[in-house]
Each structure stands twice: as structure tokens, then as C-alpha cells.
Amino acid sequence: MPRRIVIQQSVMAADEKIAARIRKDLSQRGVLMLNLIGSPGAGKTALLESTLTGAPFRSVVLEGDVATSRDAERIARTGTPVVQINTRGGCHLEAHLVDKALEELELDGIDVVFIENVGNLVCPAEFDLGEDHKVAVCSVPEGPDKPLKYPHLFSQADAVLLTKVDLLEHLDFDRDLFWGDVRDLNSRAQMLEVSALRGEGVPEWIAVVERWIRGKRS
Amino acid sequence: MHELSLVSSVVGSLEELAMGKGWKRITKVTLKIGKMRQVIPEVMVFSFSVASRGTIMEGSELEILEVPVRSRCLSCGENWEGPTFLCPGCGGSEVETESGMEMDLESVEVEE
């Protein structure tokens, strides 16, 4: 007769252990790590380009994509060290992939590790990478209903960035609906509107990152 | 899409456990999954049947216990079923998720 044995451990126990080790290691070094999550085309890479150009902190970037090193090439042009992670069909990054990529980077003297997750509003929100904060990135052309349609990400993010706000004048985007739903889901998140193209909102976003760096080191 | 990653992780952990404990076969695996986690039970079951091939749990049953989402207001203590929103009692926004985020390997049935 089979015997029932109670286990009660997380399904992702092995990967969570790696995430915990990454978090501890980065804490000891005083390095902040942010996990940027948003749809393909939400403007995550453009946001990073405008953040990294002239930012008062030193950064490295991990670029997650199913295929190509196009995003890493764009980041490299800003002079920031970058590692491309190709998941070859995988819809999200996992801690063991981040762990391996971090080994390729020199972290001495670095303030922030930006992770650009694979473009997807669902799976990336489920996996702990050892980051300090998840950042939800959603663009104006995606429509204002995304927070309620993908509540898991928006309720977990410590910052929600509405990108491509330069398009607001051309599209019928209900801003009050968008931010009202974000507030209902997660009133504690930082809420910012940015246009990487025009630079609007980028200084405010940089100020949030600086606050997080100071918070981590105090 | 990420169901295969999850069940692969379950199969890996159980193979390791089985080796240490000397289990001959695993006949049933029970997972406890909160409804806020974005997994589809049917896809988990199918992915598990693929990921467990060639292991001591090949052909075993995967049971999924779904846990409803419950939230609680930190201001007035009201609790309700559903995702974290404004408190239906006092309208407060300091709300926490009490259950619905589970993603646990609950138990197994083994032949020793």
C-alpha cells in the first residue's frame, strides 16, 4: 500500500534558494536589483536607455529575451555593461539564469542591476529573481485595462510606470481608469508617467531609483 | 506557459527526496496552488505527465488543490473572498492577501 507523506515546501524551492542567495549577496555589496516587467513593446529597453544616459548611479543590465541580442546591443551603446540572456522559448527569467549572468559582470562599484525580463505580463511576475523591487512597465498604446487584466503583476510591483505618455494626445487612453485601477490593486506602489522619447518623467523615475539605493544602504 | 518549469521543478525535488529516503515509486503528487497564481491546472497535469516520464513518478496522479483568494483589511479587520482591492467595509486601502498565493508541494504517496 502506498503511504502518504506530507512535504509542504514551495514548488519552486530550488530556484527560491538561488534567489535568496542572490538577494543576500547583493545586500552585502549594497547593490540594488530591479526586475522590469512589461509586455513586448512596452518600452522597457527605451526606458533603460533614457535612464542610463546621464544617470547619477552606476548600473549593469541583464537583458532577457527569447531570442536575439538586439536589446543588449542597444544597452551597450549607452556604455553600460550588459549581458544578454536568451531563454530560447522560455517565457520568463528564473533565478538560476540571473545567477549565471551575474557571474559575467563586475559588480564592484556598481549601484544598480537592472533586469529587463522577457516581454510578458503573466509568467515573469511569478518568479523571484532575488530582486529588491519589481517594476511594472505598461505603455499608453496597450490600453488602460491592463492592471485589472493582469492583477498579479500590478499588485506585486513596487513601482508602476506608464510609458509613451507622449502618445496620450493621439490616443483615447483613459488615464483616470488606469491609475484608479492601479491604486485599487496596490496603493503602495510608486506611480509614474514617463516618455523616454521626450524625457518627461525620467528624472522622477531616476529619483525613485536613487531613493531605493539610499534605502538599501541605510 | 510556465507550467512546465513548475512541474519540472517538482519532479527534480521529488527525485532528490526519493533518492535520500529510498522510495521505490511515487504514485500520487499533491500540489496546493492559490488562485492568484497564474497557472492552469489542466496544463499542469499534462506538463507533469511529460516531465515525469522516465522517473519513479511516471504515470502517477497529479492532484491540484486550489486555494481561494482571501484578503483582509489591516485597518478594520474585515476579510473577504477576492483579490486585494479597497476594503468593502471601511474603504481602507491597507489591505493584505491572506491566501491565494500558495504554490506548494503538499504531499506525495509513495511505495517504499
Side-chain angles (χ1 to χ4, degrees):
Chain A
M1 270 297 285
R3 185 160 74 94
R4 181 167 179 270
I5 294 170
V6 174
I7 299 180
Q8 287 181 337
Q9 68 172 34
S10 166
V11 162
M12 297 171 277
D15 216 51
E16 282 171 1
K17 250 186 236 163
I18 298 173
R21 181 164 47 73
I22 293 172
R23 187 168 282 119
K24 193 175 157 202
D25 179 46
L26 292 180
S27 280
Q28 280 166 353
R29 291 168 176 267
V31 177
L32 179 78
M33 187 156 83
L34 303 179
N35 182 1
L36 269 60
I37 302 175
S39 312
K44 299 181 292 302
T45 314
L47 173 71
L48 280 175
E49 286 171 320
S50 58
T51 307
L52 298 168
T53 310
F57 38 74
R58 284 151 302 173
S59 314
V60 294
V61 176
L62 307 184
E63 272 295 337
D65 274 301
V66 170
T68 82
S69 55
R70 290 203 170 175
D71 282 359
E73 288 157 21
R74 285 172 59 184
I75 297 298
R77 284 197 279 274
T78 69
T80 310
V82 56
V83 173
Q84 178 79 51
I85 306 170
N86 281 143
T87 58
R88 295 180 190 163
C91 50
H92 59 273
L93 292 177
E94 293 183 18
H96 64 96
L97 297 172
V98 169
D99 192 37
K100 213 169 125 221
L102 283 174
E103 280 174 16
E104 293 178 41
L105 290 163
E106 179 53 69
L107 293 179
D108 283 348
I110 293 300
D111 301 304
V112 193
V113 178
F114 286 99
I115 301 172
E116 182 182 336
N117 217 311
V118 178
N120 179 345
L121 289 173
V122 185
C123 316
E126 296 282 347
F127 293 84
D128 182 8
L129 304 180
E131 75 275 349
D132 295 287
H133 306 283
K134 287 185 172 70
V135 176
V137 180
C138 184
S139 64
V140 167
E142 290 169 64
D145 54 1
K146 295 302 164 289
L148 276 195
K149 283 185 164 180
Y150 301 90
H152 189 128
L153 169 64
F154 287 90
S155 61
Q156 290 220 335
D158 292 323
V160 176
L161 270 66
L162 179 63
T163 57
K164 307 189 190 181
V165 290
D166 46 280
L167 291 174
L168 280 169
E169 57 195 90
H170 306 290
L171 298 170
D172 183 18
F173 181 93
D174 190 338
R175 220 176 187 159
D176 293 338
L177 177 71
F178 180 86
W179 289 117
D181 287 346
V182 170
R183 259 187 291 276
D184 283 355
L185 283 166
N186 182 354
S187 58
R188 282 161 288 201
Q190 305 281 331
M191 298 170 206
L192 295 155
E193 294 190 347
V194 300
S195 162
L197 189 70
R198 293 186 191 160
E200 287 163 48
V202 176
E204 288 79 4
W205 158 239
I206 287 176
V208 168
V209 177
E210 284 188 287
R211 252 197 329 272
W212 280 340
I213 296 171
R214 280 199 301 275
K216 183 150 188 181
R217 291 176 180 171
S218 62
Chain B
M1 272 291 283
H2 55 292
E3 283 83 354
L4 188 59
S5 303
L6 298 173
V7 292
S8 299
S9 173
V10 169
V11 170
S13 308
L14 285 177
E15 280 194 297
E16 213 171 284
L17 258 177
M19 196 116 72
K21 307 263 186 191
W23 300 335
K24 289 201 184 69
R25 253 182 66 70
I26 295 174
T27 55
K28 183 174 174 179
V29 177
T30 302
L31 305 181
K32 201 188 235 181
I33 298 182
K35 285 200 165 171
M36 267 298 269
R37 304 310 295 237
Q38 307 169 99
V39 304
I40 305 165
E42 294 77 7
V43 180
M44 288 290 272
V45 169
F46 173 73
S47 302
F48 180 73
S49 71
V50 174
S52 62
R53 259 178 223 160
T55 72
I56 61 159
M57 64 211 91
E58 178 167 352
S60 66
E61 179 193 348
L62 180 72
E63 177 186 41
I64 293 175
L65 307 174
E66 287 193 281
V67 185
V69 183
R70 289 206 69 85
S71 311
R72 193 172 74 89
C73 175
L74 296 178
S75 310
C76 74
E78 171 96 13
N79 70 87
W80 64 95
E81 189 166 335
T84 305
F85 270 59
L86 296 181
C87 171
C90 70
S93 60
E94 288 293 306
V95 164
E96 68 173 12
T97 306
E98 272 194 324
S99 71
M101 289 296 289
E102 295 77 1
M103 179 71 85
D104 298 327
L105 171 51
E106 180 66 15
S107 64
V108 285
E109 287 183 14
V110 302
E111 287 173 3
E112 291 164 296

